[in-house]
Amino acid sequence: MAVVGTLLALLVFFALFGIFLTEYLPLWMEENESQLTFSLQTSLATLKSGVDDQYIFGAIPSYSVPFTTSSNSVPLLAQPTVATLSFLSGCPDGFTTAGAPEKIGSCDFEKVAYATAKGTGSASQTHNYTQTEATNYLEVSVPNRYYTPVVYFFESDAVTASQTNGHAWIGVPPPFNLTKTGTNLTVRTSLLTFVGNASSFTGVGSKDVTSHFLYQTNVTSVGRFLNKTSAVRSFNLTLTLGVHNVCSWYTYLDTQTDEVLGASTATTWTIAATGANGAVLQTTNSSATNATVCISSLSTTYDVTLTLYSVSFATNAIAQATLAFNEGGL
């Protein structure tokens, strides 16, 4: 009887232990991983806010944010999930003389251009402006086992996210602003470049990421486009982004532009996404169906080009900062 009682007790124990392993443990670890994911998203948003404050308001020159890189574990039963922080070079092959990347599909960059047709008469002025920079980027990969895996990118002054299920979004948008009053269209853009040594960190605990402000300047369209009587002429603004998360960027720019300018004709605005092979994935000047651009692009960059026509005034904030992983952290 004692043996039977012992066996029954063991059966009950293993049954309860099996329920714990199959039901409670996954829920416990899912909660741990969701907390890690939320913490990293918050750290990225805090870092972006600090960088923006540095070049917009002239805040403190150095700004550090701790990034927790591992989740809690379940002792003896489940190891912590460990995230990877990577600061990577955006465009190792450089650019052509026209400001296009030498190698399509492996260039994280931004290009801002103001241009218009030449006016008539010797007194007319047309001073085009073009700025192209390899922006470089911070990537945070969270290989969750129970919660949905996600990869974050801090690129072109925005925080984007992409999940393995195809869902992608802009977590913290860039300082891109459109304003239309009557026939006057005002556009505000930014071009933020990170510099520093490429590096990566994977480990249990946390790691500090520091931004050190280098410089900032503003470029405007004032005085660039005048007719022969010195009246201001409208011009076209083209914003080209080489990004990893093509779905979220295309959707964001399309939505922002459509809300201000409406689903109007191609004489007002157009937006296009170009694949890694140079082929155009989608072009539109109205509300888009994003099936062709919502594709996995975590290891490959795609170009998104937005052209705004008949712009009255534009300003572009250009800034540069170093990005580095500190020795600090646990």
Side-chain angles (χ1 to χ4, degrees), residues 25-99:
L25 179 62
L27 290 176
W28 190 350
M29 281 303 299
E30 182 179 5
E31 178 65 22
N32 289 340
E33 290 182 340
S34 68
Q35 291 177 357
L36 172 64
T37 302
F38 179 77
S39 172
L40 288 169
Q41 182 173 315
T42 301
S43 294
L44 280 165
T46 304
L47 178 62
K48 172 182 159 42
S49 177
V51 171
D52 288 351
D53 286 346
Q54 283 179 311
Y55 78 79
I56 293 175
F57 302 111
I60 57 176
S62 293
Y63 189 82
S64 293
V65 177
F67 280 69
T68 300
T69 56
S70 59
S71 71
N72 292 326
S73 62
V74 179
L76 303 177
L77 298 176
Q79 295 297 315
T81 298
V82 179
T84 299
L85 307 179
S86 301
F87 175 55
L88 301 170
S89 175
C91 199
D93 296 299
F95 300 94
T96 66
T97 55

Side-chain angles (χ1 to χ4, degrees), residues 232-249:
V232 176
R233 303 170 57 202
S234 62
F235 58 96
N236 302 334
L237 183 149
T238 301
L239 176 65
T240 304
L241 303 169
V243 291
H244 291 83
N245 204 336
V246 59
C247 177
S248 60
W249 276 104

Side-chain angles (χ1 to χ4, degrees), residues 129-140:
Y129 161 73
T130 301
Q131 182 78 20
T132 305
E133 295 290 345
T135 52
N136 304 326
Y137 62 98
L138 176 67
E139 178 182 334
V140 182

Side-chain angles (χ1 to χ4, degrees), residues 159 179 186 202 217 237 248 303 312:
V159 176
T179 305
T186 298
T202 304
T217 187
L237 183 149
S248 60
D303 295 354
S312 306

Side-chain angles (χ1 to χ4, degrees), residues 213-228:
F213 174 69
L214 296 178
Y215 77 87
Q216 185 271 340
T217 187
N218 288 315
V219 175
T220 74
S221 61
V222 174
R224 291 183 177 276
F225 307 106
L226 305 175
N227 64 20
K228 60 184 179 180

Side-chain angles (χ1 to χ4, degrees), residues 10 93 172 206 240 265 286 314 329:
L10 288 173
D93 296 299
V172 187
S206 67
T240 304
T265 65
S286 61

